[in-house]
Amino acid sequence: MHLVIGDVHGHVASLRTVLHASGVFYRSDTKVILLGDYVDKGPYSWLVVSEIQKMMSDAPGRVFAVLGNHDEYYVRYARHLRKREQDPSYVVPMTPNEESLDVYRTLGSGRVDFLAGLPRRYAFDVDGARWNAVHAGLEPGDPHSDEKVLRIRYVDPASGKSKGLGPGFSVPEGTQYWAELYDGDVNVVYGHHVHSRERPVETRGQRGQRLLSVDTGCGYGGILSAVSIETGEVWQANADGDYVGKTEVARF
């Protein structure tokens, strides 16, 4: 089984709950795939990263994690700080707020270096079908590029350029969600964008590719979901770490 977990956002108790509920570590043939955004929003960013490090150490070859845009923020900030250490005249172009500075301090250099070493995608096979796990999605027209896999949401179909969210998290005018335009040849499982706060949602690409969205808003008042690629079973916990129950992927 391939168990894929959406954006944890500092909620370590929720992560532990869905792992326990799924029984993943009682099965030696199961792989765990985490989709990024381990930090921010919740209270224990550093502990989530430590938990993932421990999981990888305890079950080598069975736990995989990709980088998210919130994680990359601190990796980028650390690089700027190191440039300033080498050149005191260097001006750091990032201005994190106090909350972000606190997250950075609690992560420490070791955990930030761990995040810096994470890949932007993880490729795997399920029953002969190819999959890519990424944080946000794959770029229509250039699905092999990793340039936008951390942040892509909406795309201008005329120009092919990606667009950020509009005011109040609105959809930018004249755009479509990347999955509607996706023309790659692999199935995709991703987080980043909350399609539903109730359960993961699977849609189909232009050629019938499976596109599975797993983020159910744990960092934004929602829940954390862990989904089996093979069966569509979903185990869920709220932000406090309480087990919500078991459901299935919504397919459209």
Side-chain angles (χ1 to χ4, degrees):
M1 180 173 76
H2 292 78
L3 186 79
V4 185
I5 300 175
D7 305 28
V8 181
H9 276 304
H11 293 92
V12 69
S14 307
L15 175 59
R16 291 169 177 166
T17 296
V18 296
L19 287 169
H20 176 75
S22 69
V24 61
F25 288 123
Y26 300 106
R27 298 179 51 172
S28 60
D29 61 338
T30 298
K31 292 183 177 180
V32 177
I33 303 167
L34 297 113
L35 295 177
D37 277 8
Y38 312 114
V39 302
D40 290 340
K41 308 301 178 185
Y44 298 113
S45 294
W46 67 273
L47 197 49
V48 169
V49 176
S50 291
E51 190 81 1
I52 295 169
Q53 289 176 299
K54 185 177 186 302
M55 288 164 59
M56 288 183 167
S57 176
D58 290 347
R62 290 182 53 207
V63 180
F64 304 88
V66 299
L67 189 69
N69 62 300
H70 281 260
D71 315 311
E72 189 269 344
Y73 178 89
Y74 296 101
V75 171
R76 191 159 27 100
Y77 184 58
R79 287 173 180 161
H80 286 301
L81 292 183
R82 287 167 185 164
K83 285 184 180 180
R84 190 173 65 184
E85 289 175 1
Q86 298 169 357
D87 177 7
S89 66
Y90 179 76
V91 178
V92 176
M94 300 172 66
T95 54
N97 59 28
E98 283 301 317
E99 184 178 355
S100 295
L101 285 173
D102 185 55
V103 170
Y104 181 75
R105 286 190 289 264
T106 58
L107 283 172
S109 60
R111 296 184 188 90
V112 173
D113 288 345
F114 168 76
L115 293 174
L118 294 180
R120 296 189 173 216
R121 76 170 73 196
Y122 171 64
F124 61 101
D125 291 343
V126 175
D127 298 329
R130 292 184 299 162
W131 284 81
N132 276 187
V134 294
H135 177 60
L138 297 185
E139 184 178 357
D142 195 7
H144 300 293
S145 171
D146 282 348
E147 181 182 355
K148 299 175 183 176
V149 296
L150 300 186
R151 294 177 175 83
I152 193 169
R153 274 197 177 96
Y154 296 98
V155 177
D156 181 340
S159 66
K161 293 183 177 180
S162 60
K163 302 286 185 179
L165 290 169
F169 299 99
S170 61
V171 178
E173 186 176 353
T175 64
Q176 291 178 258
Y177 193 67
W178 73 266
E180 299 175 53
L181 302 169
Y182 175 65
D183 53 358
D185 57 358
V186 299
N187 303 308
V188 185
V189 58
Y190 63 98
H192 187 58
H193 186 82
V194 181
H195 291 283
S196 168
R197 292 177 184 267
E198 296 181 357
R199 53 181 174 158
V201 174
E202 181 180 307
T203 58
R204 293 281 177 165
Q206 294 181 346
R207 292 189 288 158
Q209 314 94 317
R210 294 175 62 185
L211 307 174
L212 177 57
S213 167
V214 181
D215 185 8
T216 44
C218 187
Y220 299 87
I223 54 181
L224 181 66
S225 293
V227 57
S228 165
I229 295 286
E230 284 84 349
T231 68
E233 296 171 287
V234 182
W235 296 266
Q236 297 179 311
N238 65 23
D240 293 326
D242 300 320
Y243 184 54
V244 173
K246 186 177 177 182
T247 183
E248 295 182 352
V249 171
R251 292 186 168 94
F252 297 94

